[in-house]
């Protein structure tokens, strides 16, 4: 894909994520996707985002910056939502969380085949627990 096609592809992926459309999200993810430091496969990917959506039904990502090179996309995003369901062992707090996320995606034939990144999960957990960073 050309860089403009990759940019449009990522915008479509982010739109599916922000609609919380698990079937659409799955269509962007290779069944055997590899994720650094996380279980691989599309089922694990979908399970992780579904957990987030259940705990934060208003969760949305906002694109800050994309850098595209060959078959790779580097994305800087902001994610935010209100914690109304259990998440990682923490009962609903009704707190609003807002975190930075950085991801590196490898896209092959229109699907994410590799992912590595940082979601600053520690920042999210600290916000839910009311801790100052």
């Amino acid at each position: 894909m050309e860089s403009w096609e990759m940019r449009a592809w990522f915008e479509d992926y982010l739109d599916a994520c922000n609609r919380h459309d698990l079937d659409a999200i799955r269509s962007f993810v290779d069944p055997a996707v590899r994720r650094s430091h996380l279980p691989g496969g599309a089922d694990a990917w979908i399970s992780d985002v579904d957990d987030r959506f259940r705990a934060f039904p208003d969760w949305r990502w906002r694109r800050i910056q994309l850098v595209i090179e060959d078959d790779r996309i580097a994305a800087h995003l902001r994610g935010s939502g209100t914690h109304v369901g259990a998440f990682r062992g923490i009962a609903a707090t009704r707190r609003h969380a807002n975190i930075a996320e950085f991801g590196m995606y490898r896209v092959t034939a229109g699907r994410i085949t590799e992912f590595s990144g940082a979601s600053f999960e520690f920042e999210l957990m600290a916000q839910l627990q009311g801790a100052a960073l």
Side-chain angles (χ1 to χ4, degrees):
M1 281 192 263
E2 299 289 328
S3 64
W4 65 269
E5 292 172 303
M6 291 280 275
R7 184 173 300 280
W9 178 93
F10 192 83
E11 292 301 329
D12 290 344
Y13 168 70
L14 198 59
D15 180 59
C17 291
N18 285 335
R19 290 191 327 267
H20 297 196
D21 185 338
L22 296 176
D23 291 332
I25 294 168
R26 184 180 291 276
S27 75
F28 287 92
V29 179
D30 188 85
V33 64
R34 292 189 325 247
R35 304 187 300 167
S36 63
H37 310 295
L38 294 170
D43 290 342
W45 186 294
I46 296 301
S47 178
D48 287 349
V49 294
D50 189 39
D51 286 349
R52 171 104 19 137
F53 296 159
R54 289 177 189 275
F56 301 86
D58 62 343
W59 191 269
R60 297 290 180 273
W61 286 275
R62 181 172 51 92
R63 179 183 52 81
I64 304 299
Q65 185 172 14
L66 291 181
V67 177
I68 299 167
E69 183 176 309
D70 300 324
D71 62 350
R72 312 267 177 174
I73 298 173
H76 173 197
L77 308 171
R78 292 290 309 177
S80 65
T82 307
H83 182 220
V84 298
F87 185 73
R88 308 271 195 270
I90 300 175
T93 63
R94 307 274 320 145
R95 289 190 175 104
H96 185 78
N98 185 332
I99 62 169
E101 297 187 33
F102 298 90
M104 181 71 85
Y105 303 80
R106 181 174 183 208
V107 179
T108 305
R111 294 203 171 203
I112 301 166
T113 56
E114 293 177 29
F115 173 80
S116 62
S119 67
F120 295 96
E121 196 81 5
F122 69 90
E123 182 182 2
L124 176 59
M125 300 306 282
Q127 289 179 31
L128 298 183
Q129 295 167 344
L133 295 177

